Amino acid sequence: MIIVMKSGVSQEQIDRVVRRLAEIGCEAHISVGQVRTVIGAIGDREIIQQQPWLAMPGVERAVPVLKPYKFVSREFQAEDTVIKVRNAQIGGGVFAPIAGPCAVETRDQLFETAEAVLDAGATILRGDAFKPRTSPFSFQGLAEDGLQLMAEAREEFGMPFVAEVLDPRDVDLVAGYADMLRIGTRNMANFALLSEVGRVHKPVQLKRGFTATIDEWLNAAEYIYKEGNHEVVLVERGIRTFETATRNTLDISAAPVIKHMSHLPVIIDPSHSSGRRHLVAPLARAAVAVGADGFIVDVHPAPETAQVDGDQALLPAEFAELMDQMRGLATALGVTI
Ligand code: PEP
Ligand code: MN
């Protein structure tokens, strides 16, 4: 059961609900969001359901939840969550084009890419300062210098940015610069990182683990949500299958499946799933057709020189062409882009 408190609830009213749960032998999991406090009641379902929760001051509604994930389920919240990243929006009928380099390499590389993706219509810039690499000897990112460059690009172009955080110890550092955090596929089940990101008040992208089921992914989102950060965007980025023609297999069905099961926005990463430049545009176009709330695409002005993921980066002109196609599709589907 989830007990949703009214906005403007007092601490005393919250404490009363928590005390009542303790009296009936149940545990309370409190999640203080920016708008609402919600209390997850854990214990004997029958006993919890018998309580007249609505009679308690400050309680708005009490929602029985049957799924293993509670807060992120449609049962808990019927309306779609809409996320604002400064002047950009994800969800609520708005398709968010997110683009930029996989990694920040140099000021010139970043600024050239940022200007190009902004001109083409992207609303959020991507660019990582911490890179999760398969080999410890590969380029690991510019760390804080990279975040500083991203912040300068935000100033110059007026675009908010998203950056990956790899380590719970770096959450405050990355959140101090970025407008939105990202947890990568390799860290989807890093529960310490999920909880830490749950404690900051910045929207977060949670990538699907490349071997994770949708249930596991939603449970990972629950770790963030339950700490009080309710601004979670799910990113489908491909899963590992027997197929080798692509880097991973984009599970395009994940978007409508998530829409059915959860109120959180879901976006598609056609770059990291396919790993091949010529596949990015077709998969990106599919994102809007299946009802996803956006995409995140790698763009690089000289992919052959890229330190990371050059094989999948679109050239700025290719991204601009894709955006033209996206606008046509969005109009046909009644979606704002
Ligand atoms: C990325 O987006 O740069 C990235 C590393 O993606 P993933 O975690 O999906 O591999
Ligand atoms: Mn990458």
Side-chain angles (χ1 to χ4, degrees):
M1 174 85 81
I2 288 168
I3 300 164
V4 184
M5 305 304 286
K6 291 181 178 154
S7 59
V9 68
S10 71
Q11 188 58 46
E12 163 58 18
Q13 290 170 334
I14 295 170
D15 292 346
R16 270 216 221 165
V17 172
V18 174
R19 270 203 306 276
R20 187 77 202 106
L21 280 165
E23 281 159 18
I24 60 171
C26 297
E27 257 179 67
H29 207 109
I30 307 172
S31 165
V32 184
Q34 268 160 324
V35 185
R36 269 189 212 304
T37 294
V38 290
I39 301 172
I42 298 147
D44 188 311
R45 184 170 295 154
E46 291 282 301
I47 296 176
I48 297 171
Q49 281 183 359
Q50 279 161 15
Q51 301 299 310
W53 296 110
L54 297 183
M56 296 191 74
V59 173
E60 183 175 284
R61 58 202 164 94
V63 193
V65 178
L66 303 172
K67 300 273 178 357
Y69 44 90
K70 299 177 189 295
F71 297 132
V72 305
S73 70
R74 275 269 177 221
E75 289 168 299
F76 171 59
Q77 182 184 308
E79 332 73 72
D80 287 346
T81 288
V82 179
I83 289 175
K84 295 265 197 225
V85 187
R86 289 192 184 231
N87 49 347
Q89 183 174 321
I90 307 174
V94 174
F95 185 94
I98 304 169
C102 179
V104 182
E105 297 166 17
T106 64
R107 194 170 199 282
D108 286 351
Q109 167 250 12
L110 173 61
F111 276 49
E112 192 177 335
T113 313
E115 185 168 22
V117 300
L118 175 69
D119 285 352
T123 56
I124 300 174
L125 181 66
R126 68 154 288 155
D128 290 343
F130 293 98
K131 293 308 305 176
R133 306 307 304 282
T134 303
S135 163
F137 306 112
S138 302
F139 174 66
Q140 304 286 317
L142 300 181
E144 189 166 1
D145 290 346
L147 293 170
Q148 181 61 44
L149 287 172
M150 286 298 282
E152 287 171 27
R154 171 176 56 211
E155 282 301 299
E156 178 80 16
F157 302 106
M159 266 179 119
F161 77 86
V162 57
E164 176 154 357
V165 58
L166 285 178
D167 187 316
R169 292 167 297 188
D170 293 334
V171 169
D172 287 339
L173 174 71
V174 180
Y177 286 95
D179 305 291
M180 183 176 213
L181 306 177
R182 197 179 66 252
I183 293 181
T185 191
R186 294 160 191 80
N187 268 318
M188 187 210 81
N190 180 341
F191 302 120
L193 181 62
L194 297 171
S195 297
E196 202 56 42
V197 162
R199 290 191 267 273
V200 300
H201 290 292
K202 286 274 165 95
V204 50
Q205 294 181 354
L206 175 63
K207 285 196 154 186
R208 179 180 184 176
F210 57 80
T211 59
T213 63
I214 287 177
D215 261 34
E216 288 162 343
W217 187 17
L218 289 172
N219 270 296
E222 197 83 351
Y223 271 89
I224 302 173
Y225 206 98
K226 82 171 189 344
E227 295 301 329
N229 187 346
H230 300 171
E231 298 185 297
V232 183
V233 174
L234 299 164
V235 186
E236 163 59 41
R237 54 78 65 210
I239 50 178
R240 182 165 282 181
T241 67
F242 50 81
E243 185 54 71
T244 54
T246 47
R247 182 173 172 175
N248 289 117
T249 299
L250 178 66
D251 180 9
I252 196 75
S253 59
V257 169
I258 289 288
K259 286 271 154 209
H260 184 71
M261 297 167 87
S262 174
H263 54 86
L264 295 177
V266 57
I267 69 173
I268 298 290
D269 181 341
S271 306
H272 291 83
S273 49
S274 69
R276 307 272 187 282
R277 186 183 312 160
H278 71 280
L279 300 175
V280 172
L283 298 176
R285 292 193 297 261
V288 69
V290 291
D293 299 295
F295 63 39
I296 178 162
V297 168
D298 282 9
V299 178
H300 197 292
E304 65 286 359
T305 68
Q307 302 234 44
V308 191
D309 288 347
D311 290 343
Q312 69 198 31
L314 292 185
L315 289 159
E318 292 171 326
F319 181 68
E321 189 186 343
L322 168 63
M323 285 300 294
D324 280 341
Q325 297 165 348
M326 294 301 293
R327 279 184 279 270
L329 287 168
T331 305
L333 293 163
V335 172
T336 303
I337 188 163

